[in-house]
Amino acid sequence: MLSYPRDRTCPYQPSPEYQELGGKGPLHRVSLWDGKSIWMVTGHAQGRSLLADPRMSADRSRDDFPVVLPRFEAPIFKPLALIGYDPPVHDIHRRMLAPAFSLKHVRDMRPAVEALASDLIDRMLRKGPPADLVADFALPIPSMVISDLLGVPYEDHEFFEEKTVGLLQAKDAAGAEAAGQALWDYLDGLITAQERDPGGPGVIRALAGQIDGQDLTREDLLRIALALLIGGHDTTSQMIALGVVTLLEHPDQQAAFTAGSEILPPAVDELLRMVSVTDVSGVRVATEDIEIAGEVIRAGEGVLVSSSMANRDASVYGDPYTFDVHRTGRGGAVSGRQHLTFGYGIHQCLGQNLARMELEVAFSALFTRIPGLRLAVPAGELPSRSGGTMQGVHSLPVEW
């Protein structure tokens, strides 16, 4: 039985061990760090089916919920807002947040994000090469955007960025809890200050006015703020960084990002399919026996849907390990948005509209303004930031 997780050897391809599993069928038993086992789903159809199945629980506070890494034993993760709640609580909180992440609101935000990206590139060009693309570009864009959206002071970004990495990269539960508690205390103080000054901008301040002790408690708001702050900047910054690596390794595909606005959405979705930063579409536990793909997932058994492998299911994607921004699916249907990078079902990523917009702006601006951009070190020598279930880089040295 393969031990889970496995690190990548290529920034934009799954580990060789996952690739081998994917060739053997859609469902597999893998062993975890604590000696327990879990179902790992590598099939696209099976992944979608299970993520949409009401018999699969996302409640991380359950005793039988699988702990896929030691850090997830930390109380800060039990539960995690939105992705770690089942209905009806999940549905209530998601409805409260939906307007802030709607397609219309995201479109209204786009000019400001374009101006931000242009300003960051101006600074890079004035400073001259080499530059660290993570610190100078990939991280500031989503950090500034989510700070403004939530009402978190951006001048605190070094603190919350550092603690986020400490939480997501912790080797054990104690390390994760320490970083998570620091973020919790910070947000708690921020909410207290905003309660004294109601009526200003930001999702956190708006939700603070809706606390009723039933549909939304103060602890609910803290967990929501924590999940949005972390998810709103870290994964997107890593997607920008690893996306740039992928594009620089495929210069024929890179040209698409300066070819016009029509190619941008499918090109970004192909990058999302290919890179799959989190490597995971969702972790669940079965509440009833479920028959699927010739197997029976028993009640109480854990399931992990691998986005990086489901996104390479040959029954959906022809030549699935090839990066192709002009990709079409079987029968000629555009397949880009069928990927499971944002999950599927009721827990599909709330911020996907925002993430797609930020990625379109970032890649388009970068390769239009700096067409000669290149890595300053070979891709194999990049300082890896591997968290087992989340891939990334600490820094990305570039020149032009």
Side-chain angles (χ1 to χ4, degrees), residues 236-259:
T236 305
S237 69
Q238 290 300 319
M239 184 63 217
I240 293 172
L242 291 187
V244 166
V245 173
T246 306
L247 288 164
L248 292 178
E249 294 277 287
H250 300 83
D252 58 325
Q253 303 298 309
Q254 175 190 322
F257 284 87
T258 59

Side-chain angles (χ1 to χ4, degrees), residues 41-288:
V41 183
T42 59
H44 188 275
Q46 294 76 20
R48 283 166 60 109
S49 175
L50 290 168
L51 289 173
D53 196 318
R55 296 171 294 177
M56 301 297 295
S57 172
D59 184 357
R60 295 174 181 236
S61 66
R62 291 174 57 112
D63 291 338
D64 55 0
F65 195 86
V67 181
V68 298
L69 286 169
R71 63 173 168 267
F72 292 130
E73 283 197 314
I76 199 72
F77 288 113
K78 298 180 180 181
L80 194 61
L82 298 174
I83 65 171
Y85 281 93
D86 291 333
V89 175
H90 165 270
D91 300 344
I92 293 169
H93 292 171
R94 192 175 179 105
R95 281 196 298 270
M96 290 179 175
L97 292 163
F101 293 91
S102 69
L103 185 57
K104 179 183 183 304
H105 190 212
V106 167
R107 285 172 176 165
D108 291 342
M109 295 169 63
R110 187 173 188 126
V113 178
E114 290 174 338
L116 170 60
S118 181
D119 181 59
L120 291 170
I121 293 172
D122 286 342
R123 296 182 195 181
M124 287 172 54
L125 293 174
R126 283 196 300 268
K127 187 170 66 174
D132 179 355
L133 200 69
V134 171
D136 295 339
F137 186 77
L139 186 53
I141 290 177
S143 284
M144 289 186 189
V145 170
I146 199 63
S147 294
D148 183 63
L149 184 63
L150 296 182
V152 173
Y154 181 68
E155 54 263 32
D156 298 332
H157 74 97
E158 290 185 0
F159 166 79
F160 67 70
E161 289 166 0
E162 176 189 349
K163 296 305 179 183
T164 295
V165 173
L167 176 65
L168 298 180
Q169 299 289 303
K171 301 299 183 185
D172 53 33
E177 188 64 18
Q181 190 62 52
L183 285 167
W184 182 278
D185 293 343
Y186 167 74
L187 291 167
D188 189 35
L190 185 65
I191 291 170
T192 298
Q194 293 185 351
E195 286 174 328
R196 298 193 189 108
D197 181 26
V203 170
I204 294 176
R205 184 180 270 107
L207 289 183
Q210 299 181 49
I211 292 176
D212 59 6
Q214 296 180 358
D215 287 345
L216 185 70
T217 66
R218 186 183 179 86
E219 181 175 333
D220 289 337
L221 177 54
L222 278 163
R223 291 193 178 278
I224 289 170
L226 180 67
L228 293 179
L229 181 61
I230 293 171
H233 81 272
D234 191 81
T235 50
T236 305
S237 69
Q238 290 300 319
M239 184 63 217
I240 293 172
L242 291 187
V244 166
V245 173
T246 306
L247 288 164
L248 292 178
E249 294 277 287
H250 300 83
D252 58 325
Q253 303 298 309
Q254 175 190 322
F257 284 87
T258 59
S261 59
E262 291 185 1
I263 190 62
L264 278 178
V268 163
D269 271 300
E270 174 67 354
L271 269 175
L272 286 162
R273 179 193 79 85
M274 196 73 177
V275 176
S276 301
V277 168
T278 63
D279 250 342
V280 178
S281 295
V283 180
R284 304 284 188 270
V285 60
T287 60
E288 301 177 24

